[in-house]
Amino acid sequence: MNHSLGMAIESLVAILLMLTIVYCVMLNKRLRRLKADEHSLKAVIGELITATEIAERAIGGLKLAVRDVNENLGSQLAAATQMSDQLYKQLGEADNVVRRLSKIAIAARPATPEMVAAAAAKPSTAKAVAAAAEAFERRRSNGLAA
């Protein structure tokens, strides 16, 4: 019995040693995979750091570009506003000139036959000429005549 008990204990120890060896082999494979993943993870982290630095430089460049564009647009916007005001004033002045020219053109139209007949029926007098001159002067002082 002694012999068979010793054999059973030896067999049990051998089986446990074999299980330990199998477990160590499996653990070794996992550790290798983990090491390989660690190297690839380090490579990915290095690439991310490089990409982050490039992005930071690009953001700095974009900030400078935005600042330059903002300054240029601000000055161009101020110039455009000033030009718009000038054009608005010039349009108002042009409108006044067109009105005055149209009044001059209406006054310079050749008389129609009815107007000639009416003028012939009324003899012109010095008073009528003086009244017309006064009316012209009033229009001129109001800015209506050229």
Side-chain angles (χ1 to χ4, degrees):
M1 244 193 163
N2 237 353
H3 185 59
S4 59
L5 182 63
M7 204 54 170
I9 291 176
E10 295 275 333
S11 299
L12 184 63
V13 168
I15 292 173
L16 287 176
L17 280 175
M18 288 180 76
L19 285 175
T20 304
I21 291 172
V22 170
Y23 183 72
C24 285
V25 168
M26 287 176 32
L27 190 59
N28 191 27
K29 286 181 184 177
R30 286 184 183 174
L31 285 173
R32 284 185 188 161
R33 262 188 280 155
L34 186 61
K35 281 280 190 187
D37 289 344
E38 178 186 3
H39 292 297
S40 65
L41 188 60
K42 282 182 181 180
V44 169
I45 289 172
E47 291 175 5
L48 283 174
I49 289 172
T50 304
T52 303
E53 290 171 354
I54 292 170
E56 286 175 352
R57 277 186 257 130
I59 288 172
L62 285 174
K63 284 181 181 179
L64 289 174
V66 165
R67 188 178 317 130
D68 291 344
V69 167
N70 192 18
E71 289 173 2
N72 288 340
L73 282 179
S75 63
Q76 288 178 355
L77 185 61
T81 303
Q82 184 180 10
M83 182 157 302
S84 174
D85 292 342
Q86 287 176 353
L87 287 173
Y88 182 75
K89 289 175 185 177
Q90 289 176 356
L91 281 173
E93 291 173 11
D95 189 39
N96 289 336
V97 169
V98 169
R99 284 185 191 157
R100 288 169 48 193
L101 286 174
S102 66
K103 288 180 181 180
I104 291 170
I106 290 171
R109 273 193 193 149
T112 61
E114 295 85 25
M115 293 175 77
V116 171
K122 293 183 186 176
S124 63
T125 62
K127 286 185 179 179
V129 172
E134 287 177 9
F136 181 77
E137 284 298 320
R138 271 188 257 126
R139 283 188 178 174
R140 191 167 137 200
S141 66
N142 287 337
L144 296 176

